[in-house]
C-alpha cells in the first residue's frame, strides 16, 4: 500500500491508545518506517544505472528483524509508556507488512514479495496470489475511509496527523478545517 495509507492507519491506531503526542508520533513513524528501504528509488532516479529500489524495497525494512529493531528504537525514544510503545510499534510494523502483502502489486503486475526472515533466511517469502494493484479500487477505498476517519478526529478531537510534526502545524490544520466547516 502507499506510504500515506500506512501513515494514516498508523496514526489513527495511536489516537485512542496514547494520550501523549510524543508517543503517538513515535509509534506512527514506526508504522511507516519499513518503507525507508524504498528510499533507494531516489538514488536510482539520479544515478540512472543503479537498482537499489528493486534490490532493497520490501527486503530490508519489511522483516521480523526490522520490526524488532524499529520497535526497540521507538521504545528508546519514548519517555512515558516504553513497553506500550514497543508493543504498538512492533504490531504496526506487522500490519504494515500485511498491508503490503495484500495491496502492493506494481502496475506491470509484479508482486512484491516480502523477505520476512531477512537477513537470516532470504528464501522465505510472504506473497499472496490475489495481491491488489497499488492503485486498485480496494486500496483507494481503504485510504478514503482512513481520510474520513482522520477528518472525524480533526473535527471532533482537534487532532490531525500533522501533530507528528509539531503542534503548530496541527493547530493550523484545525483552523483551516474550522474556517471551511
Amino acid at each position: 500500500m502507499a506510504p500515506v495509507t500506512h501513515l494514516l492507519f498508523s496514526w489513527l491506531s495511536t489516537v485512542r491508545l496514547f494520550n501523549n503526542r510524543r508517543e503517538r508520533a513515535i509509534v506512527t513513524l514506526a508504522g511507516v518506517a519499513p518503507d525507508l528501504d524504498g528510499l533507494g528509488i531516489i538514488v536510482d532516479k539520479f544515478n540512472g544505472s543503479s537498482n537499489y529500489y528493486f534490490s532493497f524495497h520490501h527486503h530490508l525494512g519489511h522483516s521480523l528483524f526490522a520490526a524488532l529493531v524499529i520497535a526497540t528504537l521507538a521504545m528508546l525514544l519514548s519517555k512515558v509508556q516504553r513497553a506500550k510503545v514497543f508493543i504498538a510499534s512492533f504490531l504496526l510494523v506487522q500490519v504494515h507488512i500485511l498491508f503490503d502483502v495484500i495491496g502492493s502489486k506494481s502496475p506491470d503486475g509484479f508482486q512484491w514479495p516480502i523477505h520476512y526472515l531477512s537477513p537470516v533466511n532470504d528464501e522465505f517469502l510472504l506473497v499472496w496470489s490475489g495481491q491488489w494493484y497499488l492503485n486498485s479500487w480496494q486500496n483507494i477505498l481503504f485510504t478514503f475511509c482512513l481520510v474520513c476517519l482522520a477528518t472525524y478526529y480533526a473535527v471532533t478531537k482537534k487532532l490531525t496527523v500533522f501533530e507528528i510534526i509539531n503542534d503548530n502545524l496541527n493547530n493550523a490544520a484545525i483552523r483551516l478545517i474550522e474556517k471551511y466547516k
Side-chain angles (χ1 to χ4, degrees):
M1 292 187 174
V4 71
T5 306
H6 292 301
L7 177 70
L8 286 171
F9 184 86
S10 295
W11 179 74
L12 287 166
S13 298
T14 68
V15 171
R16 301 195 89 197
L17 194 59
F18 295 97
N19 293 327
N20 182 300
R21 182 186 74 81
R22 179 183 172 90
E23 267 63 32
R24 284 193 303 270
I26 290 168
V27 175
T28 297
L29 294 173
V32 181
D35 279 340
L36 289 173
D37 67 7
L39 289 178
I41 197 167
I42 297 168
V43 176
D44 293 347
K45 292 289 183 191
F46 286 113
N47 186 319
S49 62
S50 62
N51 198 19
Y52 293 118
Y53 182 69
F54 286 107
S55 297
F56 297 113
H57 190 53
H58 285 191
H59 192 89
L60 294 178
H62 293 71
S63 70
L64 178 60
F65 177 73
L68 291 169
V69 169
I70 291 166
T72 300
L73 289 173
M75 179 187 69
L76 293 173
L77 291 171
S78 173
K79 291 183 177 177
V80 181
Q81 300 172 300
R82 299 181 96 173
K84 194 173 180 181
V85 166
F86 177 87
I87 293 166
S89 297
F90 182 80
L91 291 175
L92 279 174
V93 172
Q94 301 309 305
V95 171
H96 181 120
I97 291 168
L98 175 65
F99 284 176
D100 281 354
V101 169
I102 292 171
S104 291
K105 188 186 288 187
S106 68
D108 65 359
F110 176 70
Q111 288 188 284
W112 281 100
I114 304 291
H115 298 260
Y116 190 68
L117 297 178
S118 179
V120 176
N121 180 343
D122 280 335
E123 304 294 316
F124 182 80
L125 302 175
L126 296 178
V127 66
W128 177 47
S129 63
Q131 190 175 52
W132 307 333
Y133 286 97
L134 192 57
N135 63 348
S136 69
W137 68 267
Q138 296 97 326
N139 280 343
I140 293 168
L141 178 61
F142 184 63
T143 304
F144 176 75
C145 290
L146 294 174
V147 168
C148 290
L149 189 55
T151 302
Y152 168 79
Y153 277 106
V155 171
T156 62
K157 307 288 186 205
K158 308 293 186 234
L159 283 176
T160 70
V161 70
F162 297 114
E163 75 164 344
I164 67 170
I165 299 169
N166 68 34
D167 281 329
N168 292 335
L169 195 54
N170 179 70
N171 294 336
I174 295 302
R175 284 192 302 275
L176 186 64
I177 289 168
E178 288 177 347
K179 181 179 177 180
Y180 292 102
K181 200 162 64 164

